[in-house]
């Protein structure tokens, strides 16, 4: 009997959660803007510029979704979240989508009841140290003090790595990227550990980046991607396929420069379907035929977003690596639009 009651309660709770989250698209349209949870400030990924305008790779994903749903890439309210607050903001409905360098894990997917719609950046955890420390490998960090963001996968990864290598460390807990940089530069910790892309972004923002080095070891897999609430599959489909439209656009050569020309029609059926000139995939999502075109035009395809915000010609200077298209030896791959 106890098992039956428990399962019944779980079913009711799951149904209630699904019902509560089943109208995100309607809410966004009625509100006239997308509420997007982002980092509190990580240059290259999500940070306000000198004019207070949010810029970055993750910001571009938010703007693409707003363009697809509302026809306006500026109809977004960016809500800064920390490692601790991001999931509460999503589950409570404060934000419609979380686009904040968040790692897809089993527990976040299954236990916390969130849906990761894809991977927009394949990453791994690393370490940054002052060059003056004279350390060239993470295995030389035995006894180090380590700045680490709370509420993140990096905490467990750090503990696992040091235990595996029979080393000890003293954690210096921090909550935001700004606090991490402040503590690290003030010498409160010997090393700062987070996703390697985050380390590159932080280092680029220092007054003297050359005084700091990112060590060669990558100690984890960190598939980062946009997240939505579990239970609203329609909304999940919209965010998922908006992201994949950006990935597919790069593969098929659809850019912010030629999108109008290609929208007149091409001899490539896949391109026509993406841009809404053949079939009407938008109707299946409850969107206009030009939803994907609007998303791509908002900031360019996946490659354009990458190169503009975090690519090799930016201060962040990240190479494509695993984030290259599958045709170039990377892992970026969009399912067929058909």
């Amino acid at each position: 009997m106890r098992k039956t009651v428990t399962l019944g309660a779980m079913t009711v709770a799951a149904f209630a959660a699904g019902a509560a989250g089943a109208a995100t698209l309607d809410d966004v349209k009625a509100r006239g803007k997308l509420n997007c949870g982002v980092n509190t400030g990580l240059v290259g990924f999500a940070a306000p510029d000198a004019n207070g305008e949010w810029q970055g790779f993750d910001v571009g994903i938010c703007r693409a979704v707003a363009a697809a749903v509302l026809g306006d890439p500026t109809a977004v309210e960016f809500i800064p979240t920390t490692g601790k607050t991001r999931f509460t903001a999503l589950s409570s409905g404060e934000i419609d989508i979380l686009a904040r360098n968040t790692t897809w894990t089993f527990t976040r997917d299954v236990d916390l009841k969130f849906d990761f719609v894809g991977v927009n950046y394949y990453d791994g955890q690393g370490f940054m140290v002052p060059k003056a420390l004279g350390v060239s490998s993470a295995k030389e960090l035995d006894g180090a003090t380590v700045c680490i963001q709370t509420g993140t996968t990096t905490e467990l990864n750090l503990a696992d790595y040091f235990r595996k290598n029979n080393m000890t460390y003293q954690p210096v807990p921090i909550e935001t990227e700004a606090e991490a940089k402040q503590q690290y530069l003030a010498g409160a910790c010997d090393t700062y550990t987070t996703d390697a892309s985050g380390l590159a972004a932080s280092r680029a923002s220092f007054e003297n980046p050359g005084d700091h080095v990112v060590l060669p070891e990558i100690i984890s897999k960190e598939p980062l991607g946009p997240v939505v609430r579990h239970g609203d599959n329609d909304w999940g489909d919209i965010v998922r396929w908006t992201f994949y439209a950006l990935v597919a656009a790069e593969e098929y050569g659809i850019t912010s420069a030629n999108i109008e020309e290609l929208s007149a029609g091409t001899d490539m059926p896949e391109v026509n379907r993406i841009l809404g000139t053949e079939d009407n995939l938008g109707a299946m999502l409850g969107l206009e035929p030009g939803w994907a075109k609007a998303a791509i035009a908002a900031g360019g395809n996946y490659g354009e977003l990458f190169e503009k915000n975090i690519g090799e010609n930016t201060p962040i200077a990240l190479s494509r690596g695993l984030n290259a298209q599958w045709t170039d030896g990377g892992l970026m791959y969009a399912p067929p639009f058909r």
Side-chain angles (χ1 to χ4, degrees), residues 46-65:
D49 62 18
N51 297 317
E53 293 291 325
W54 283 85
Q55 305 289 345
F57 182 69
D58 289 330
V59 167
I61 300 295
C62 300
R63 294 200 188 283
V65 174

Side-chain angles (χ1 to χ4, degrees), residues 9-267:
M10 289 174 62
T11 300
V12 171
F15 177 82
T24 308
L25 176 60
D26 293 337
D27 290 344
V28 172
K29 286 185 173 180
R31 191 190 307 130
K33 67 179 179 181
L34 175 76
N35 291 335
C36 194
V38 292
N39 201 295
T40 53
L42 184 62
V43 175
F45 286 88
D49 62 18
N51 297 317
E53 293 291 325
W54 283 85
Q55 305 289 345
F57 182 69
D58 289 330
V59 167
I61 300 295
C62 300
R63 294 200 188 283
V65 174
V69 174
L70 300 170
D72 181 2
T74 68
V76 187
E77 181 172 349
F78 294 99
I79 300 174
T81 62
T82 68
K84 281 187 173 181
T85 65
R86 55 185 165 175
F87 296 130
T88 301
L90 182 59
S91 62
S92 69
E94 180 183 0
I95 58 177
D96 307 306
I97 173 177
L98 177 65
R100 181 202 178 280
N101 53 321
T102 297
T103 304
W104 189 348
T105 71
F106 180 95
T107 54
R108 290 171 177 178
D109 192 318
V110 178
D111 189 42
L112 296 185
K113 303 300 181 186
F114 294 125
D115 288 344
F116 286 77
V117 301
V119 178
N120 73 335
Y121 193 93
Y122 289 92
D123 210 342
Q125 184 175 337
F127 297 87
M128 178 167 59
V129 297
K131 188 175 290 185
L133 193 64
V135 171
S136 60
S137 168
K139 293 182 179 179
E140 300 173 30
L141 293 174
D142 189 18
T145 51
V146 184
C147 282
I148 184 168
Q149 290 193 48
T150 56
T152 66
T153 57
T154 56
E155 290 182 287
L156 182 57
N157 294 336
L158 178 66
D160 287 349
Y161 181 77
F162 272 71
R163 183 175 63 182
K164 178 181 177 181
N165 288 283
N166 297 312
M167 300 190 302
T168 62
Y169 68 97
Q170 179 63 45
V172 178
I174 47 93
E175 290 196 16
T176 67
E177 176 66 21
E179 183 184 356
K181 290 191 291 187
Q182 181 184 35
Q183 293 286 74
Y184 171 77
L185 291 174
C189 52
D190 298 311
T191 181
Y192 174 35
T193 184
T194 189
D195 299 335
S197 63
L199 295 176
S202 294
R203 180 177 177 273
S205 70
F206 293 166
E207 184 176 350
N208 298 301
D211 291 345
H212 306 270
V213 61
V214 177
L215 299 177
E217 287 85 1
I218 297 296
I219 68 171
S220 69
K221 293 183 294 184
E222 305 294 328
L224 312 178
V227 195
V228 296
R229 285 180 294 277
H230 185 71
D232 189 346
N233 292 347
D234 291 342
W235 179 247
D237 286 342
I238 288 170
V239 180
R240 176 179 299 107
W241 285 98
T242 297
F243 166 64
Y244 280 131
L246 305 182
V247 176
E250 181 183 18
E251 177 180 352
Y252 291 109
I254 306 170
T255 70
S256 55
N258 67 15
I259 194 167
E260 290 299 333
E261 178 184 352
L262 295 178
S263 295
T266 74
D267 59 0

